[in-house]
């Protein structure tokens, strides 16, 4: 039970920190299911404000298998500024089947290794929930919003009382429906974006400053 | 994976959730939503062969039992094991009392152990968000490429609690009916605010 209750301890310590001076640096985690575009968005944010990139992207699921951090990303969008530590996390999943990787042309040995690393990445991502001050929840707006990963992440964010912005990604796809995401999670801000093309990123930056500062 | 898809099951939730309307694209359930007074399980009218449909409605809020009548700790006393390669699939409906009798870690261990031996569990009231992430974490630790690829889990969004004491003390929203099974056996077909539609893949594991 101790592990399950750790979130409330973290919540309490964060509340105390906020009460007595707050944190100068806000640590923001990018969370979501595999292939939602978390690393593409992390790259977009970091590139827009530092000129660097955070990680490689791939159509093969679980390309990001370790948490990656980029400190001191200052977003200054005219109306305000915020300094973030951006934390890109592996996609959260409830199952990992190495055969899925073989469908992308990987051999069995590499696929099994990737699956093993992916399981470790999911565990690491979950444990980082206790370490972030806010979350950008990245969802694929061309996919069903009611996935269990989305439901579980929203539930954890609400239980921890973390500020959240939902990035409804991939609006460049013809079957994208960010309106479905908005109606599925009306209690949270949903910003339609394309991390790949950069469309509507200015709106996301405005919302990040508003929600996380 | 070339599996025979034989069983199709719909887990239908009665009532409106959190004041949300069903999604526009949601498919209507196979039959009208039953009231809690109706049987818990009923055969859906004339399902198209070979698909089988079950309709589940949530139980009314159960009253806590006296301690003497509470279920024994489950982790030490699991439900009778069925051989994985039998002619059927175990679908166990677990009451709120049964789950409430277990501590958090014990509950996670119980669920995972049951799913790993091929059982599909329907929890009257599901797991809290923290328990769900713990279950995912423990599942990742248990994954074996050859024998266990993980779990399929679906639940409805937690019921929002807006009472005075809930607002003051931040009591977690109550989880709702949840279906959990082995990922190589249970597949989610469709989900919205009212219906969780699943398929049981029996070709590989039967």
């Amino acid at each position: 039970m101790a592990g399950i209750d750790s979130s409330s301890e973290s919540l309490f310590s964060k509340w105390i920190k906020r009460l007595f001076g707050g944190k100068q640096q806000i640590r923001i985690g990018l969370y979501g299911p595999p292939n939602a575009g978390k690393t593409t968005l992390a790259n977009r944010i970091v590139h827009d404000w530092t000129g660097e990139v955070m990680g490689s992207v791939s159509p093969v699921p679980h390309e990001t298998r370790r948490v990656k951090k980029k400190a001191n990303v200052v977003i200054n969008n005219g109306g305000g500024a915020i300094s973030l530590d951006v934390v890109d996390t592996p996609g959260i999943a409830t199952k990992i089947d190495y055969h899925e990787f073989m469908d992308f042309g990987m051999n069995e040995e590499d696929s099994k290794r990737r699956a093993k690393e992916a399981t470790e990445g999911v565990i690491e991502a979950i444990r980082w929930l206790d370490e972030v001050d806010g979350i950008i929840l990245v969802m694929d707006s061309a996919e069903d919003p009611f996935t269990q990963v989305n439901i579980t992440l929203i539930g954890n964010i609400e239980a921890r009382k973390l500020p959240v912005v939902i990035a409804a990604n991939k609006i460049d796809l013809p079957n994208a429906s960010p309106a479905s995401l908005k109606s599925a999670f009306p209690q949270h801000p949903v910003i339609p974006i394309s991390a790949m093309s950069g469309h509507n990123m200015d709106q996301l930056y405005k919302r990040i400053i508003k929600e996380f500062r | 994976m070339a599996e025979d898809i034989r069983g199709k099951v719909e887990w239908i939730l009665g009532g409106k959730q959190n004041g949300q309307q069903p999604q526009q694209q949601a498919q209507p359930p196979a039959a009208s939503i039953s009231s809690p007074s109706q049987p818990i399980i009923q055969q859906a009218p004339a399902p198209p062969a070979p698909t089988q449909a079950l309709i589940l409605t949530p139980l009314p809020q159960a009253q806590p039992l006296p301690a003497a009548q509470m279920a024994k700790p489950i982790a030490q006393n699991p439900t009778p094991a069925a051989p994985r390669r039998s002619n059927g699939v175990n679908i166990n409906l677990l009451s709120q009392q049964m789950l409430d009798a277990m501590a958090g870690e014990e509950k996670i261990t119980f669920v995972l152990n049951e799913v790993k031996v091929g059982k599909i569990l329907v929890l009257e009231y599901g797991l809290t968000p923290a328990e769900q992430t713990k279950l995912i974490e423990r599942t990742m630790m248990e994954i074996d490429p050859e024998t266990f690829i993980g779990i399929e889990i679906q639940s409805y969004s937690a019921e929002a609690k807006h009472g005075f004491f809930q607002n003051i003390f931040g009591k977690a929203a109550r989880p709702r009916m949840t279906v959990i099974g082995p990922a190589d056996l249970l597949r989610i077909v469709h989900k919205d605010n009212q219906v969780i539609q699943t398929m049981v893949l029996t070709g590989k594991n039967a």
Side-chain angles (χ1 to χ4, degrees), chain A residues 3-12 14-15 18 31 125-133 135 152-163, chain B residues 129-131 133-134 137 170 172:
Chain A
I4 291 174
D5 287 340
S6 63
S7 61
S8 57
E9 290 172 27
S10 175
L11 186 67
F12 181 72
K14 284 173 188 165
W15 182 76
R18 282 177 193 157
Y31 276 85
I126 288 173
R127 291 181 177 171
W128 265 85
L129 278 170
D130 291 335
E131 305 298 327
V132 295
D133 305 305
I135 286 179
T152 297
L153 284 171
I154 287 284
N156 273 274
I157 289 164
E158 291 174 348
R160 288 171 160 83
K161 294 186 168 28
L162 288 171
Chain B
E131 289 169 343
T133 48
K134 196 69 186 175
E137 192 178 336

Side-chain angles (χ1 to χ4, degrees), chain A residues 94 96 112 127 148 152, chain B residues 132 137 146 149 151-152 155:
Chain A
T94 62
I96 295 172
K112 286 182 176 176
R127 291 181 177 171
Q148 191 60 33
T152 297
Chain B
Q132 288 174 29
E137 192 178 336
E146 306 300 341
I149 61 167
I151 61 171
E152 191 72 79
S155 63

Side-chain angles (χ1 to χ4, degrees), chain A residues 11-30:
Chain A
L11 186 67
F12 181 72
S13 67
K14 284 173 188 165
W15 182 76
I16 291 293
K17 283 176 185 169
R18 282 177 193 157
L19 190 65
F20 296 101
K23 296 182 73 168
Q24 297 302 310
Q25 197 71 12
I26 309 296
R27 186 180 282 165
I28 297 301
L30 275 72

Side-chain angles (χ1 to χ4, degrees), chain A residues 40-91:
Chain A
T40 305
L41 178 57
N43 283 341
R44 170 67 60 182
I45 294 171
V46 171
H47 185 266
D48 280 355
W49 302 102
T50 71
E52 300 173 24
V53 294
M54 284 194 75
S56 61
V57 296
S58 164
V60 185
H62 297 284
E63 176 69 9
T64 303
R65 301 186 292 282
R66 294 303 305 267
V67 167
K68 294 178 180 171
K69 291 159 277 182
K70 176 66 182 170
N72 301 319
V73 178
V74 179
I75 295 176
N76 189 337
N77 204 31
I82 188 171
S83 181
L84 302 177
D85 290 346
V86 177
V87 180
D88 182 27
T89 67

Side-chain angles (χ1 to χ4, degrees), chain A residues 1-4 7 92-99 108 112 118-119 122-123 126-127 129 144 146-148 151-152 155-156 159 161 180 183-187, chain B residues 1 20 23 25 103-105 108 128-134 136-137 139-141 143 145-146 149-158 170 183 191-193:
Chain A
M1 197 66 190
I4 291 174
S7 61
I92 306 279
T94 62
K95 60 187 173 191
I96 295 172
D97 185 355
Y98 76 90
H99 293 97
E108 184 171 333
K112 286 182 176 176
T119 61
V122 173
I123 293 168
I126 288 173
R127 291 181 177 171
L129 278 170
D144 176 13
F146 293 102
T147 66
Q148 191 60 33
I151 299 288
T152 297
N156 273 274
K161 294 186 168 28
S180 297
S183 63
F185 306 107
Q187 70 275 37
Chain B
M1 280 190 284
Q20 292 177 319
Q23 295 297 298
Q25 71 275 22
E105 291 284 355
I108 301 304
T128 65
E131 289 169 343
Q132 288 174 29
T133 48
K134 196 69 186 175
I136 294 172
E137 192 178 336
T139 298
M140 291 298 122
M141 293 175 182
I143 282 182
E146 306 300 341
I149 61 167
I151 61 171
E152 191 72 79
I153 171 172
Q154 286 293 338
S155 63
Y156 299 100
S157 301
K191 179 186 177 185
D192 58 38
N193 279 334

